[in-house]
Amino acid sequence: MAPDTASPTSDDQALGLKWSNRVSLTPRILAVNIFALALLGGGFSYLDSYRSRMVDSRVEQASREARLIAQALASTNKDEKRRDILVLSLARDMGTRIRLFTDDGKMLADSRELGLRNVTLRDPDKDPWGLEAARWLDAVIDTVAGAARAPAYRERSSDAGLDWPDVRTAQTAHGSAATVWRAPDRTPVITAAAPITGMGVVMTTVNARDITQTVRAERYRLGIVLLIVSVSSILLSLFLARTIVRPLRLLARAAIRVRLGRAREVVVPRLPDRSDEIGLLARALSDMTQALRARIDATESFAADVTHELKNPLASLRSAVDSLASVKKREHRDQLMEIVQDDVHRLDRLITDISEASRLDAQLSRATFEPVDIGALIQALLDSREARGLPAGIRIAFDHQPGAALTVLGEGARLERVFENLIENAISFSPEGGLIAISARGEGAMLTIRIEDEGPGVPEDARENIFRRFHSVRPESEAFGQHSGLGLAIARTIVEAHQGSIAVESREDRLSGARFVVRLPRGDRG
């Protein structure tokens, strides 16, 4: 289970991709998990404090035992034989070495010399290599943990009892004293001394090897647990890094290829098997790339359409201007000037609509949507249009529920442009004396606005094409070039930017006529 840290491929190098540990997530994931393991490894330091508490407890125990032994020996009344028997019995029962010293430091009795050989300072371990490894590990952990190092245990001569600090302290302070020493095998040796009334000083010596063995056993168990957890954590970290880093690199590679202008040949992986955040990111990037590709295609198509639409009036304008120099009759010159004026007006209209259409997406993306009363907006448009006059006796009826909330969130000026275009489109196609019916109703979470006319209608195969830019199907009575063919395309762009839809349908109640249906999300629903 190796991390995805392979060297860059030739394709990566061509794209300028340089993966290294300085930017890869894999070392960071490993570092975080290893840091947590290091905290677990701090348990070795806890074992040092655990050992210190055990030693302190044993020191207190040795002091109490020394005082008890001193009291017991004081009752022998200097009977040497009885004293030696008691010393030997107490040493055997307590598992310690007992020595008696006079006030001037000379030895009176030693339980070891009396026949007890239960205490040795050399470790009789039959595995010297394991013992040496344990001692070396003790030294390393003590150094890392900063544990205090006890003085080395060294035997004194039988006439130098005062060289023992515990004996000297017990004699001068008339109280018990204890010291912790370090045996050659790094196990603690505890000595304790207490004064004996009228006799001298008693000193006990015990090698607390069991403390070291207990700490080593706990350290071994902790080490096994730490090893298992470390291996598991590293393997899981590498697996986690692979599941995160590898798809991110694939997505980054695709994004860079898109940035370098290779959008059409790039397939951003969607990672359908991933239901987590990385899968969501992959699908979002894929959708974004597709939207970007569609936007690029639309821009290129729009540029081509603009070029085509501008060439027609320019060609007509050029032909008329070229002909002016050779035409002598005034009526012919007037006809050419009318053509020039029409073409200039047509170019001006085209340029204005093209400019608005090209800026529309950017303006809508920055627009701040506010509550807009669609009923009041349409009514204001109708009042203004009727004030200017309706041609050929055309009538307009607006059907909506009085007092009903017809509110959407949007930009009022843009929505006004949508309905103005649709109303003007219905007027231009309506026959003489025709009726234009407008209705607005709330339908669940959507507000539906229908604009119906009595014109020739829209063929079913052309209902989608009429929303394309520069596509115009005009009535025969209308002069050519009066419209740029961008009105319905602009209306659809605005409606879709408001999360709505616009479509054209046939009227069910008549043989002819068109119905434009606009649906917008309502803004009066919580």
Side-chain angles (χ1 to χ4, degrees):
M1 191 182 297
D4 187 22
T5 55
S7 59
T9 64
S10 58
D11 186 54
D12 294 337
Q13 294 173 351
L15 294 175
L17 297 176
K18 295 182 180 179
W19 307 111
S20 68
N21 290 334
R22 290 177 296 176
V23 298
S24 177
L25 289 175
T26 302
R28 301 183 186 183
I29 294 175
L30 287 172
V32 170
N33 288 308
I34 291 174
F35 177 74
L37 292 175
L39 296 179
L40 178 61
F44 288 104
S45 298
Y46 169 77
L47 289 178
D48 178 70
S49 62
Y50 172 66
R51 178 178 58 188
S52 298
R53 290 195 297 272
M54 292 180 65
V55 171
D56 292 342
S57 175
R58 196 65 64 84
V59 167
E60 294 179 2
Q61 178 183 346
S63 297
R64 289 195 300 271
E65 290 178 351
R67 290 194 296 270
L68 292 174
I69 292 173
Q71 293 175 4
L73 292 176
S75 63
T76 60
N77 295 323
K78 298 183 181 181
D79 185 345
E80 183 176 346
K81 184 177 180 179
R82 183 182 174 191
R83 181 197 65 194
D84 292 345
I85 293 174
L86 183 59
V87 167
L88 189 60
S89 176
L90 291 174
R92 182 180 295 109
D93 293 341
M94 294 182 177
T96 184
R97 181 181 179 182
I98 300 175
R99 281 175 281 191
L100 300 180
F101 296 97
T102 61
D103 290 337
D104 57 359
K106 293 182 179 182
M107 185 180 295
L108 293 177
D110 185 351
S111 63
R112 177 173 293 180
E113 294 181 358
L114 293 176
L116 184 64
R117 303 297 180 183
N118 65 311
V119 177
T120 59
L121 298 179
R122 294 184 179 179
D123 197 333
D125 201 305
K126 296 181 180 180
D127 184 11
W129 295 104
L131 180 60
E132 289 299 326
R135 293 174 180 174
W136 177 83
L137 186 59
D138 289 342
V140 171
I141 295 178
D142 289 347
T143 302
V144 173
R149 188 176 184 182
Y153 180 85
R154 297 289 184 270
E155 285 289 351
R156 275 70 169 174
S157 64
S158 59
D159 294 334
L162 295 180
D163 290 345
W164 295 99
D166 299 335
V167 174
R168 188 167 55 253
T169 301
Q171 182 188 31
T172 57
H174 302 288
S176 62
T179 303
V180 180
W181 308 84
R182 184 183 78 258
D185 61 353
R186 302 190 65 84
T187 57
V189 176
I190 302 173
T191 60
I196 305 174
T197 303
M199 186 179 298
V201 177
V202 61
M203 185 181 79
T204 62
T205 305
V206 62
N207 189 184
R209 186 178 292 109
D210 60 310
I211 294 178
T212 301
Q213 292 173 347
T214 300
V215 172
R216 286 176 179 172
E218 293 300 323
R219 183 186 300 151
Y220 174 77
R221 297 189 185 96
L222 180 60
I224 294 297
V225 172
L226 184 60
L227 177 61
I228 295 174
V229 173
S230 298
V231 173
S232 302
S233 179
I234 291 174
L235 292 178
L236 291 175
S237 298
L238 294 177
F239 172 76
L240 179 63
R242 186 179 182 85
T243 57
I244 293 176
V245 174
R246 187 174 183 179
L248 287 182
R249 287 182 177 176
L250 291 176
L251 295 177
R253 184 180 297 114
I256 291 176
R257 290 173 65 88
V258 172
R259 178 178 62 83
L260 294 178
R262 306 178 186 179
R264 285 180 174 79
E265 63 185 65
V266 175
V267 177
V268 178
R270 296 184 64 85
L271 304 180
D273 297 334
R274 298 289 294 263
S275 58
D276 54 8
E277 288 80 359
I278 292 182
L280 180 63
L281 174 63
R283 290 183 283 279
L285 286 177
S286 178
D287 293 340
M288 182 186 68
T289 304
Q290 293 177 3
L292 176 62
R293 184 179 298 130
R295 181 66 60 85
I296 293 174
D297 293 340
T299 301
E300 293 179 352
S301 175
F302 181 66
D305 292 341
V306 167
T307 302
H308 176 73
E309 291 296 323
L310 290 178
K311 279 185 176 181
N312 290 333
L314 283 175
S316 175
L317 183 60
R318 180 177 180 179
S319 177
V321 171
D322 290 343
S323 300
L324 279 175
S326 58
V327 173
K328 303 299 183 181
K329 293 184 179 182
R330 182 176 181 82
E331 60 271 18
H332 293 167
R333 294 177 64 87
D334 291 343
Q335 290 178 357
L336 290 174
M337 288 302 300
E338 289 180 1
I339 294 174
V340 169
Q341 291 177 356
D342 288 342
D343 288 337
V344 169
H345 289 315
R346 184 181 174 189
L347 282 173
D348 179 68
R349 186 165 49 252
L350 276 172
I351 292 173
T352 300
D353 290 346
I354 289 169
S355 176
E356 181 177 0
S358 63
R359 295 195 307 266
L360 191 59
D361 288 339
Q363 291 175 346
L364 286 173
S365 65
R366 296 191 299 266
T368 301
F369 287 179
E370 298 176 348
V372 178
D373 188 343
I374 296 297
L377 185 148
I378 294 177
Q379 188 62 57
L381 284 174
L382 296 180
D383 294 341
S384 175
R385 190 64 180 84
E386 290 177 353
R388 298 197 308 269
L390 295 172
I394 296 174
R395 295 161 297 146
I396 302 178
F398 183 28
D399 179 21
H400 65 288
Q401 298 174 348
L406 303 175
T407 304
V408 300
L409 288 177
E411 189 179 17
R414 296 300 178 184
L415 292 174
E416 181 180 354
R417 175 68 185 274
V418 170
F419 295 109
E420 183 180 13
N421 284 354
L422 294 177
I423 292 172
E424 291 297 330
N425 184 76
I427 292 174
S428 65
F429 280 97
S430 294
E432 183 176 353
L435 174 65
I436 299 174
I438 303 175
S439 65
R441 293 286 188 275
E443 298 178 355
M446 304 297 288
L447 178 64
T448 303
I449 302 95
R450 295 178 173 86
I451 301 176
E452 302 176 347
D453 61 54
E454 298 178 342
V458 181
E460 187 173 353
D461 57 353
R463 290 177 183 175
E464 186 64 27
N465 292 335
I466 62 174
F467 293 102
R468 292 173 54 191
R469 289 167 174 168
F470 303 112
H471 184 89
S472 180
V473 179
R474 309 307 307 172
E476 296 180 356
S477 59
E478 184 178 288
F480 175 76
Q482 296 299 313
H483 292 82
S484 63
L486 289 172
L488 291 179
I490 291 175
R492 167 168 279 188
T493 301
I494 295 173
V495 170
E496 290 181 348
H498 286 75
Q499 308 301 315
S501 64
I502 182 172
V504 61
E505 304 173 353
S506 295
R507 299 181 59 175
E508 298 89 350
D509 56 344
R510 299 178 186 274
L511 296 177
S512 63
R515 173 192 293 150
F516 283 85
V517 181
V518 178
R519 292 182 174 85
L520 295 169
R522 295 177 63 177
D524 56 351
R525 294 175 62 88

